[in-house]
């Protein structure tokens, strides 16, 4: 059994392809179950964010699982096989573990070190737990990834550049965000919208200068109750657009919510900053042609580079990830070895009991003390014979060679390969 990830992100695919592959909550749940139903797959977790879609599975067979997961992703995105393969990546075992740990640490994000991804990884795990698509293997992997993400942010300054995509977008918008009279319109009322409102307020923006618009008014009103901002019904969106200086859109719609004509009517020739945090995009890129309109979308954010002073933090996080990958894999290997060692000790105990019974039947005149001495002697011999091999097996598996248990047995006992194969086939749970 091995961990496998098949994914697509801003590093492997252009925005228009990512838009087609993007998953809403219902689609994410559906995909996770379809993947779990695929041959050779025993667990699944799906991560879907504004710049990545990744499917993690615990698989019995590498090639079969890759084929099935890739087919399901391609079908969802409506991509032909050749187009899909061009933009997808596959990581297996150690590389898959290292990839997830890097993702959770913000090292694979558009904005290096952004912390929002940590919450998204947590949400993916919680969703898989609620849907019962995750088991002990992926649960342990994701729990470790969350701990590593927290550790990276706690021990380094990796998130100084931008703790989230929202912060990065606001920073890119410039001085207008911090001007005392700027009015903000947030389109959407989901997780990203909530994060946007919280970030604005944390930056000192008066909640009364923040307006929320959402198709479902009750969800917008929930933000009113939480943050003290204002809300407007979706039908009045254009009225509020004409009063806003900064529009931040994150609706999760499947098509453009704001085209050039709508933005032009709202701006009315005055300067306006637009921050599009949605995937698929909410704002037509053609609005860049409008005079006085500034558009910051995922393409712009992906082009932002980490400044030089973060180089040491980046290297420190990479070091943390590399170390944790080794620790996780060693623990995983140990978990596979333990049942075999237990079985070996059980077998030795059974042999001791059998030999003791044989001796006692042949020597019926032994005293109780003599029987106890025989029993202790047999146990000491068995323990001494087992101790060194079991310790050596563990060292071989944990060592730099990364030996399998079959390799360890062959190295330890100089066994013929046919003998090793016979042992591992009998004990192989798959």
């Amino acid at each position: 059994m091995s961990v496998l990830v098949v994914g697509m992100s801003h590093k492997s695919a252009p925005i228009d392809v990512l838009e087609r592959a993007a998953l809403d909550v219902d689609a994410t749940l559906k995909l996770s179950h379809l993947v779990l139903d695929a041959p050779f797959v025993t667990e699944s977790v799906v991560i879907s964010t504004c710049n990545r879609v990744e499917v993690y599975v615990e698989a019995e067979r590498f090639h079969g699982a890759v084929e099935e997961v890739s087919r399901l992703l391609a079908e969802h995105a409506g991509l032909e096989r050749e187009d899909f393969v061009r933009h997808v990546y596959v990581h297996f075992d150690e590389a898959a573990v290292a990839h997830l740990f890097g993702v959770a640490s913000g090292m694979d994000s558009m904005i290096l070190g952004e912390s929002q991804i940590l919450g998204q990884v947590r949400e993916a795990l919680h969703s898989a737990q609620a849907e019962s698509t995750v088991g002990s293997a992926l649960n342990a992997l994701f729990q470790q990834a969350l701990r590593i993400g927290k550790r990276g942010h706690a021990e380094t300054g990796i998130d100084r550049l931008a703790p989230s995509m929202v912060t990065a977008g606001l920073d890119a918008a410039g001085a207008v965000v911090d001007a005392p009279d700027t009015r903000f319109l947030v389109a959407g009322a989901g997780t990203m919208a909530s994060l946007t409102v919280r970030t604005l307020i944390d930056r000192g923006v008066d909640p009364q200068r923040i307006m929320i618009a959402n198709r479902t008014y009750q969800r917008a009103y929930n933000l009113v109750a939480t943050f003290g901002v204002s809300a407007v019904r979706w039908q009045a969106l254009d009225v509020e657009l004409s009063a806003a200086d900064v529009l931040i859109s994150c609706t999760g719609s499947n098509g453009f919510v704001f085209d050039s004509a709508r933005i032009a009517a709202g701006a009315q020739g005055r300067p306006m900053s637009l921050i599009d945090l949605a995937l698929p995009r909410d704002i037509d890129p053609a609005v860049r042609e409008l005079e006085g309109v500034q558009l910051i979308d995922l393409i712009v954010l992906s082009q932002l580079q980490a400044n030089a002073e973060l180089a040491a933090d980046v290297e420190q996080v990479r070091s943390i990830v590399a170390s944790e990958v080794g620790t996780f894999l060693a623990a995983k290997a140990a978990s596979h070895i333990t049942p075999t060692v237990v079985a070996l000790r059980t077998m030795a105990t059974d042999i001791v009991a059998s030999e003791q019974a044989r001796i006692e039947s042949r020597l019926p005149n032994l005293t109780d003390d003599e029987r106890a001495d025989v029993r202790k002697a047999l146990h000491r011999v068995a323990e001494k014979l087992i101790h060194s091999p079991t310790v050596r097996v563990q060292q071989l598996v944990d060592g730099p060679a990364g030996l399998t248990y079959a390799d360890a047995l062959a190295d330890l006992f100089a066994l013929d390969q046919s003998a090793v194969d016979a042992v591992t086939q009998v004990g192989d749970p798959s």
Side-chain angles (χ1 to χ4, degrees):
M1 300 292 286
S2 301
V3 62
L4 165 72
V5 57
V6 180
M8 184 183 296
S9 76
H10 64 284
K11 291 186 174 181
S12 68
I15 294 297
D16 60 335
V17 174
L18 280 177
E19 285 178 325
R20 296 173 65 178
L23 301 164
D24 59 21
V25 174
D26 291 339
T28 299
L29 296 180
K30 180 180 178 180
L31 180 61
S32 66
H33 283 286
L34 289 174
V35 168
L36 189 62
D37 291 338
F40 318 122
V41 173
T42 59
E43 301 179 33
S44 71
V45 178
V46 179
I47 296 178
S48 180
T49 75
C50 61
N51 53 33
R52 74 179 61 250
V53 176
E54 296 180 340
V55 179
Y56 290 81
V57 302
E58 181 76 356
E60 295 175 344
R61 296 185 184 179
F62 171 75
H63 293 292
V66 168
E67 286 292 329
E68 286 299 312
V69 175
S70 298
R71 179 183 64 80
L72 290 169
L73 267 178
E75 287 180 356
H76 163 75
L79 294 171
E80 296 296 330
R81 180 179 176 81
E82 290 117 8
D83 292 333
F84 178 78
V85 170
R86 188 181 306 126
H87 301 300
V88 77
Y89 48 81
V90 176
H91 299 302
F92 184 64
D93 267 351
E94 181 176 353
V97 172
H99 178 76
L100 177 59
F101 289 0
V103 167
S105 302
M107 297 297 289
D108 197 58
S109 298
M110 278 188 176
I111 306 302
L112 188 65
E114 62 97 4
S115 57
Q116 186 183 355
I117 184 62
L118 192 58
Q120 293 165 330
V121 172
R122 183 182 298 106
E123 288 176 6
L125 175 59
H126 289 172
S127 176
Q129 290 170 337
E131 294 295 314
S132 298
T133 65
V134 66
S136 60
L138 290 185
N139 186 71
L141 175 63
F142 271 72
Q143 294 287 2
Q144 184 73 356
L146 293 173
R147 286 192 287 270
I148 292 167
K150 292 178 182 177
R151 181 185 170 192
H153 289 290
E155 297 182 12
T156 75
I158 192 64
D159 56 0
R160 282 180 292 153
L161 181 64
S164 71
M165 297 294 290
V166 173
T167 303
L170 295 174
D171 288 345
V176 64
V177 171
D178 298 313
D181 298 325
T182 298
R183 292 181 59 84
F184 297 86
L185 172 61
V186 179
T191 301
M192 186 71 79
S194 178
L195 179 60
T196 296
V197 174
R198 183 183 300 278
T199 303
L200 287 171
I201 293 174
D202 287 346
R203 291 174 73 123
V205 174
D206 184 347
Q208 294 304 308
R209 291 193 282 119
I210 303 172
M211 182 67 69
I212 310 295
N214 191 61
R215 286 188 174 88
T216 304
Y217 181 74
Q218 182 58 48
R219 295 192 67 188
Y221 189 78
N222 289 341
L223 296 183
V224 173
T226 302
F227 298 106
V229 296
S230 301
V232 65
R233 296 190 181 278
W234 192 254
Q235 293 81 353
L237 179 62
D238 289 328
V239 174
E240 291 303 322
L241 183 62
S242 65
D245 303 295
V246 177
L247 165 67
I248 305 167
S249 192
C250 40
T251 69
S253 300
N254 290 323
F256 293 136
V257 177
F258 301 96
D259 56 19
S260 292
R262 193 172 202 176
I263 293 298
Q268 298 176 345
R270 61 192 175 87
M272 179 177 282
S273 294
L274 314 176
I275 302 175
D276 189 352
L277 300 175
L279 188 73
R281 287 170 289 186
D282 281 345
I283 304 175
D284 188 344
V287 302
R288 287 192 174 94
E289 300 176 6
L290 299 175
E291 185 175 355
V293 171
Q294 175 192 33
L295 174 61
I296 300 159
D297 58 13
L298 296 180
I299 294 177
V300 173
L301 294 178
S302 68
Q303 295 169 347
L304 295 178
Q305 299 296 318
N307 52 37
E309 68 182 28
L310 287 177
D313 295 308
V314 170
E315 288 307 312
Q316 187 177 352
V317 173
R318 285 176 177 161
S319 177
I320 290 173
V321 169
S323 172
E324 293 284 359
V325 169
T327 300
F328 180 83
L329 293 176
K332 184 178 180 181
S335 70
H336 289 302
I337 292 302
T338 299
T340 307
V341 172
V342 170
L344 181 61
R345 290 187 176 278
T346 300
M347 180 185 68
T349 300
D350 291 342
I351 291 174
V352 167
S354 175
E355 287 301 305
Q356 181 179 333
R358 188 180 68 83
I359 291 173
E360 290 179 355
S361 67
R362 294 183 60 182
L363 301 172
N365 296 325
L366 290 176
T367 66
D368 290 342
D369 289 341
E370 289 171 336
R371 285 191 177 90
D373 287 341
V374 169
R375 187 184 309 115
K376 290 177 183 178
L378 289 172
H379 277 289
R380 282 198 300 269
V381 170
E383 283 296 320
K384 288 180 179 179
L385 288 173
I386 291 173
H387 176 72
S388 293
T390 54
V391 171
R392 180 60 178 146
V393 166
Q394 188 64 63
Q395 291 172 343
L396 289 168
V397 174
D398 290 343
L403 297 175
T404 65
Y405 189 69
D407 294 330
L409 285 175
D411 184 273
L412 184 62
F413 297 110
L415 297 175
D416 292 336
Q417 187 59 47
S418 59
V420 173
D421 290 341
V423 172
T424 54
Q425 285 170 7
V426 171
D428 187 357
S430 62

